[in-house]
Structures are given as C-alpha cells and as structure tokens.
Amino acid sequence: MNMSPIDRETSLVATETMAQKRNPSAALMLVSLCRMMSARLPLVVGSMVRIDEGDSSASYVTDVAIPEVGILGASIAATLDRLVAGLDVHIEVMRKNVEITNGLIASEAAMMQLSDRIGRHHAHHLLYEAAQRSVMEQVPFTQAIGEHPGMKGREMVILDVAGYTGESTSLVDRLASDP
C-alpha cells in the first residue's frame, strides 16, 4: 500500500480497497520495532563474555548493536507517542461490547470468587454449566450462576464488569506520573 508522508504520521490508515477500514499501523509498527529491539539483546549479552581474556574483538558487536538499540529505543518512544495521541476511546461503545457477552466476560472473576468457596474443580463445573445456559437461553451470566442448583444456600457471586480492571488503573496512573 502506498502512503503519503501525511498518512505515515497518523496511527490509523485506511486500506486501498476498503476505505472504511482503519488499520492500526502505529501499533503494528510498534510491535515490529520491539521485535527488532529484542533481537539486539542476545547480541549484546553474548558479546559480554570474554573467552580466555581475549582481545576486544568481542566488543565490535556492541559497537554496532548499542547505537542500533538507541535508535530503536527512540523510534519506539516516538511511535508509542503517536499511537497514544491518535487513540480514540468510545466509552459507550465499550460498554455496549461488554454487554454483548451477557456478563460472560467476567467469568474469571466469578471463578476466583467461587474457587475460594467451593474449590476450583466444582467452581469450574458450575460456571461451565451456567455459561452454557447463559449463551443458550440468553440469560445474564449472574442470573444463570445464581439459579444453578450448586448455588443453593450460597452467597451470590457479584460481578461488576466496570470495576473488573484489576491493577490497570493504578499502573497507568503510576506510569503517567513518572517523569
């Protein structure tokens, strides 16, 4: 695909045949740059070993690799900056996508809650059956769990998909505040 210099500066590029499609070109570039960086690390680590107190010819590898690592690091930072700057967050669309699963997206959270109460094997079996019912009968996953015979007399499983973000919020806040 031919891109103008302006297109190269954006994070999303349409394809030639499907104008409505938005390709995540910056994200793909970021992955490629990180792979290239990863490939340099074994070269540098391997050149650290000196065999029998030999001459400095092993450092010739790092003479090439270290500047490449610097260039790749700068390219990764610039590409990541471009990716984040072009990020569009559509909260309502995200909420709608989560609701499509009828709560099944939080099955891991349900597993963690139930495993502590009834053991991992029983929790897996109960949640599998509840998930199948949720899909086949189009009932909310929490309802299917609550109505499962294995839940009789047990505390209800609470699934708050909006709050099921783990440590991601604190990690992002910490990283964003670091200079």
Side-chain angles (χ1 to χ4, degrees):
M1 176 173 67
N2 296 326
M3 290 187 291
S4 72
I6 295 170
D7 292 335
R8 283 189 213 109
E9 296 303 316
T10 63
S11 6
L12 296 166
V13 179
T15 64
E16 290 179 0
T17 58
M18 295 186 293
Q20 81 283 5
K21 186 176 177 193
R22 295 171 61 180
N23 290 328
S25 61
L28 297 173
M29 178 60 76
L30 186 61
V31 169
S32 296
L33 289 167
C34 289
R35 287 178 179 158
M36 290 168 52
M37 175 74 88
S38 294
R40 292 340 184 248
L41 299 179
L43 292 172
V44 173
V45 171
S47 70
M48 292 170 53
V49 176
R50 296 283 180 112
I51 300 172
D52 296 327
E53 299 292 325
D55 64 11
S56 64
S57 64
S59 68
Y60 296 144
V61 173
T62 57
D63 289 347
V64 173
I66 297 298
E68 287 179 350
V69 166
I71 292 167
L72 286 168
S75 298
I76 288 169
T79 304
L80 185 57
D81 183 57
R82 194 173 75 221
L83 177 75
V84 172
L87 189 64
D88 290 328
V89 178
H90 302 279
I91 294 171
E92 287 306 314
V93 174
M94 292 170 65
R95 184 173 289 114
K96 181 180 169 187
N97 287 340
V98 166
E99 291 169 359
I100 288 171
T101 71
N102 239 346
L104 287 165
I105 197 165
S107 62
E108 182 182 32
M111 181 69 171
M112 295 301 137
Q113 288 182 46
L114 280 179
S115 291
D116 291 343
R117 299 180 202 170
I118 64 175
R120 187 170 178 83
H121 177 73
H122 287 85
H124 175 75
H125 182 71
L126 187 150
L127 290 175
Y128 175 80
E129 289 179 350
Q132 296 307 306
R133 178 172 174 235
S134 177
V135 170
M136 299 306 288
E137 298 177 19
Q138 294 295 303
V139 298
F141 187 42
T142 52
Q143 178 184 335
I145 294 169
E147 293 174 354
H148 190 281
M151 288 297 290
K152 285 245 191 266
R154 297 190 191 278
E155 184 181 336
M156 183 62 186
V157 171
I158 310 236
L159 299 178
D160 177 16
V161 176
Y164 186 57
T165 57
E167 296 295 316
S168 62
T169 303
S170 63
L171 288 171
V172 168
D173 288 344
R174 188 176 78 217
L175 290 171
S177 68
D178 284 345

